[in-house]
């Protein structure tokens, strides 16, 4: 993730007047005067790849609130914005479960609430054109332009007894979440530290109760991969609220640990969801959304943790007492600089034009034209499971050596795209085991044939000779 500052600060950085602040060699979106050390501002935007930062689940305000907590009201204001952001996201994501249901999901239903449509719905809720009631939105009204088939699916799911059982749990969980957030907001207004902390502790306990409902293993087992994604996304959102309660109490060690645990949980849960994906329709829904979470949301969580770790690295045992309670304290010199810094233009711009198809959607459509179901699923897994990719590279190398493909060596495979590695893996898998009846079935299911393997996408980074050698051998 690359941070962008205001033009004035950017010019100062280029001139050497200002310098970015780093945490363990990673920029954290702050800049300070090269001579005086005075903090001059937070980044106003960030990019991931070539796209503006636009997380689906995470609240970027929690990043900027870390250091501004030492400015009391400014830090609390950013926490408030973060709470509103996750509340909006939770309402929209839970609301769309009314179109997913519990069992098999119709492809047209998933299309109606794909990444692009979900971003549009979130915008509608943010601008108060749609209302969230008990954790659900009026999908018939929100998707009125989608046609009669969608309205029929919504009606059928609303009559499903098993979904109604799930819905009751979700309504309760959302109600607990809202009560906890309101209690948290009220606690932030209390001047007495002990009373404030007691109320925040109570709000955190309610958030943990809500979290238990969203992660109920018995309910998750009954849902499809798409349904699991929506439930677990809600859980990841609530985890952020829990982390925020520790942050305002200045329990930075707990914050750092829980952010790290949340990142690990997102990755682990994503792998489980991908492995449970059984159809093209589900993959069409999952691939762009999980890619957005990987590229944007995990980056926000990582930056949040970098901010926390910077705070912890700057602390010492003789620093000034924290203004908000016991915990990490900054040296008095740093604390003075932070409390006097002007961070009025510190909000990260994370808006995106929802009228345009998300880049993740366009990328997936391009990949889908060059690959097949099993390969695409592995490519998504590679994002979270580097060991799986290494195992695939090892298999390709072994099979290529047996077949006389001398250029498919580890050094070349390491430079190949996930698309190339996944396609090559299934090419060799089917080629070398095609005589086995079970593998012939796999070949039919995966829609790979000797003719289709001529169209395997090979990255230029492998080199032209490798590509020519493969295609010559296939012919």
């Amino acid at each position: 993730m690359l941070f962008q500052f205001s033009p004035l600060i950017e010019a100062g950085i280029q001139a050497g007047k200002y310098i970015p602040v780093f945490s363990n060699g990673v920029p954290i979106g702050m800049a300070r005067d090269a001579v005086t050390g005075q903090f001059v501002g937070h980044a106003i935007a960030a990019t991931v790849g070539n796209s503006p930062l636009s997380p689906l689940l995470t609240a970027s305000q929690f990043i900027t609130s870390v250091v501004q907590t030492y400015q009391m009201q400014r830090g609390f204001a950013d926490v408030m914005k973060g709470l509103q952001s996750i509340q909006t996201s939770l309402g929209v994501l839970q609301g769309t479960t009314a179109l997913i249901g519990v069992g098999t999901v119709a492809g047209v239903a998933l299309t109606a609430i794909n990444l692009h449509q979900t971003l549009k719905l979130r915008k509608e809720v943010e601008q108060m054109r749609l209302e969230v009631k008990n954790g659900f939105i009026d999908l018939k009204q929100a998707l009125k332009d989608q046609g009669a088939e969608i309205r029929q699916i919504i009606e059928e799911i609303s009559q499903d007894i098993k979904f109604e059982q799930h819905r009751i749990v979700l309504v309760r969980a959302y109600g607990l979440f809202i009560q906890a957030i309101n209690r948290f907001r009220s606690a932030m207004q209390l001047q007495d530290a002990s009373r404030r902390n007691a109320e925040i502790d109570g709000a955190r306990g309610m958030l943990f109760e809500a979290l238990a409902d969203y992660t109920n293993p018995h309910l998750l087992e009954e849902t499809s991969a798409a349904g699991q994604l929506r439930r677990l996304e809600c859980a990841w959102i609530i985890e952020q609220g829990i982390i925020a309660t520790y942050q305002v109490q200045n329990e930075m060690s707990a914050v750092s640990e829980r952010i790290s645990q949340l990142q690990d949980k997102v990755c682990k849960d994503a792998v489980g969801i991908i492995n449970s994906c059984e159809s093209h329709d589900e993959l069409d829904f999952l691939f762009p959304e999980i890619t957005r979470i990987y590229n944007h949301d995990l980056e926000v969580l990582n930056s949040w943790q970098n901010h926390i770790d910077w705070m912890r690295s700057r602390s010492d045992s003789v620093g000034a007492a924290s203004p908000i309670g016991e915990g990490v304290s900054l040296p008095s010199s740093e604390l003075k600089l932070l409390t006097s810094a002007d961070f009025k233009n510190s909000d990260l711009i994370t808006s995106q034009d929802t009228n345009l198809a998300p880049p993740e959607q366009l990328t997936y459509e391009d990949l889908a034209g060059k690959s097949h179901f099993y390969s695409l699923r592995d490519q998504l897994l590679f994002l979270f499971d580097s060991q799986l990719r290494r195992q695939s590279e090892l298999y390709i190398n072994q099979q290529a050596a047996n077949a006389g493909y001398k250029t498919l060596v580890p050094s070349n495979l390491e430079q190949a795209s996930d698309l190339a590695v996944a396609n090559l893996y299934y090419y060799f898998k089917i080629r070398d085991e095609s005589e086995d009846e079970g593998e012939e079935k796999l070949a039919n299911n995966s829609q790979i044939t000797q003719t289709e393997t001529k169209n395997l996408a090979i990255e230029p980074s492998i080199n032209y000779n490798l590509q020519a050698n493969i295609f010559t051998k296939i012919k």
Side-chain angles (χ1 to χ4, degrees):
M1 184 162 65
L2 298 177
F3 290 102
Q4 299 172 348
F5 295 91
S6 67
L8 182 62
I9 294 179
E10 287 283 2
I13 292 174
Q14 293 298 320
K17 180 181 178 181
Y18 303 138
I19 55 174
V21 178
F22 290 83
S23 174
N24 297 321
V26 179
I28 62 171
M30 293 172 59
R32 64 194 312 171
D33 190 287
V35 177
T36 66
Q38 181 74 38
F39 294 96
V40 294
H42 251 295
I44 60 172
T47 57
V48 176
N50 295 319
S51 302
L53 178 68
S54 182
L56 179 64
L57 317 169
T58 52
S60 60
Q61 293 90 346
F62 289 146
I63 298 176
T64 56
S65 68
V66 175
V67 295
Q68 293 174 43
T69 300
Y70 283 87
Q71 297 181 315
M72 294 295 286
Q73 293 306 315
R74 177 60 193 177
F76 288 171
D78 277 355
V79 170
M80 294 289 196
K81 291 179 183 177
L83 295 178
Q84 183 58 50
S85 176
I86 62 175
Q87 181 176 329
T88 297
S89 295
L90 180 61
V92 171
L93 293 170
Q94 175 168 302
T96 58
T97 62
L99 197 49
I100 295 175
V102 176
T104 303
V105 192
V108 65
L110 293 178
T111 300
I113 52 169
N114 62 14
L115 176 61
H116 193 191
Q117 296 299 327
T118 298
L119 292 173
K120 287 183 177 180
L121 289 175
R122 187 173 68 179
K123 196 71 172 179
E124 294 283 303
V125 172
E126 286 175 348
Q127 297 178 351
M128 294 185 289
R129 292 198 292 264
L130 279 177
E131 183 181 1
V132 179
K133 293 182 178 180
N134 297 320
F136 287 89
I137 53 181
D138 186 349
L139 285 179
K140 286 185 178 180
Q141 174 63 26
L143 303 175
K144 61 182 182 295
D145 297 331
Q146 295 287 331
E149 187 175 1
I150 291 298
R151 292 194 294 273
Q152 179 63 30
I153 293 173
I154 295 172
E155 182 62 31
E156 291 173 357
I157 291 176
S158 69
Q159 301 300 319
D160 182 77
I161 295 177
K162 181 164 285 189
F163 176 71
E164 181 59 22
Q165 295 171 342
H166 284 237
R167 185 180 182 278
I168 290 172
V169 175
L170 293 177
V171 168
R172 174 186 178 276
Y174 183 81
L176 269 173
F177 169 77
I178 293 300
Q179 290 178 51
I181 293 300
N182 289 338
R183 186 174 183 179
F184 189 8
R185 288 193 179 104
S186 297
M188 300 277 279
Q189 307 304 318
L190 298 177
Q191 299 302 310
D192 182 84
S194 61
R195 291 176 58 203
R196 180 171 61 242
N197 283 328
E199 281 297 292
I200 293 173
D201 289 344
R204 182 163 57 237
M206 296 171 69
L207 288 172
F208 274 116
E209 285 188 60
L211 181 63
D213 283 338
Y214 284 110
T215 57
N216 185 316
H218 300 295
L219 296 183
L220 287 172
E221 287 173 1
E222 296 179 347
T223 61
S224 64
Q228 289 179 28
L229 177 62
R230 281 291 186 254
R231 306 291 178 85
L232 291 172
E233 284 174 335
C234 293
W236 302 337
I237 287 172
I238 293 174
E239 287 275 10
Q240 293 175 69
I242 292 172
I243 294 169
T245 65
Y246 286 113
Q247 181 172 303
V248 298
Q249 292 177 320
N250 202 32
E251 297 291 348
M252 297 305 182
S253 295
V255 173
S256 180
E257 181 181 18
R258 292 203 69 90
I259 294 176
S260 178
Q261 290 174 351
L262 178 54
Q263 292 179 82
D264 291 341
K265 180 172 176 55
V266 169
C267 293
K268 181 180 179 180
D269 287 346
V271 169
I273 292 167
I274 298 165
N275 281 326
S276 65
C277 176
E278 298 179 343
S279 70
H280 281 281
D281 288 337
E282 282 191 323
L283 190 62
D284 293 346
F285 173 78
L286 296 173
F287 200 110
E289 191 153 314
I290 291 179
T291 303
R292 168 65 67 93
I293 292 169
Y294 178 83
N295 288 333
H296 292 256
D297 291 271
L298 285 176
E299 282 292 324
V300 171
L301 290 176
N302 187 53
S303 184
W304 190 2
Q305 184 158 33
N306 286 334
H307 274 73
I308 295 295
D309 290 344
W310 178 80
M311 296 284 286
R312 298 175 68 197
S313 71
R314 304 298 294 173
S315 67
D316 62 15
S317 59
V318 296
S322 166
I324 57 173
E326 297 299 323
V328 172
S329 298
L330 290 178
S332 57
S333 57
E334 291 283 79
L335 180 59
K336 182 178 180 180
L337 290 173
L338 276 176
T339 54
S340 63
D342 182 5
F343 291 128
K344 63 182 180 181
N345 294 318
S346 64
D347 291 340
L348 280 175
I349 299 172
T350 58
S351 61
Q352 184 174 324
D353 187 350
T354 57
N355 293 317
L356 301 175
E360 294 83 2
Q361 188 72 45
L362 300 176
T363 298
Y364 172 71
E365 292 172 359
D366 179 61
L367 292 175
K370 301 174 181 177
S371 196
H372 61 98
F373 175 79
Y374 292 100
S375 174
L376 287 166
R377 194 171 66 177
D378 277 5
Q379 290 169 56
L380 195 53
L381 283 171
F382 287 165
L383 294 177
F384 303 93
D385 190 349
S386 58
Q387 183 60 34
L388 177 62
R389 167 160 173 148
R390 286 193 291 270
Q391 292 172 355
S392 298
E393 290 175 7
L394 178 61
Y395 177 82
I396 294 168
N397 177 244
Q398 292 172 340
Q399 298 304 315
N402 294 336
Y405 301 135
K406 298 181 180 180
T407 52
L408 288 175
V409 295
S411 59
N412 283 335
L413 291 171
E414 288 174 2
Q415 301 176 52
S417 68
D418 289 342
L419 169 65
V421 171
N423 277 353
L424 284 168
Y425 173 83
Y426 280 100
Y427 163 64
F428 283 113
K429 188 78 172 175
I430 295 168
R431 175 186 180 278
D432 295 328
E433 299 180 7
S434 60
E435 294 181 0
D436 180 86
E437 182 177 351
E439 293 303 319
E440 287 179 357
K441 182 178 180 180
L442 173 64
N444 291 332
N445 288 341
S446 63
Q447 302 177 1
I448 288 274
T449 66
Q450 287 291 324
T451 301
E452 287 171 327
T453 52
K454 296 178 184 178
N455 296 320
L456 290 174
I458 308 298
E459 283 283 39
S461 58
I462 298 182
N463 75 42
Y464 174 80
N465 290 334
L466 180 150
Q467 181 174 342
N469 191 17
I470 290 177
F471 289 172
T472 299
K473 290 286 186 180
I474 291 176
K475 293 178 181 178

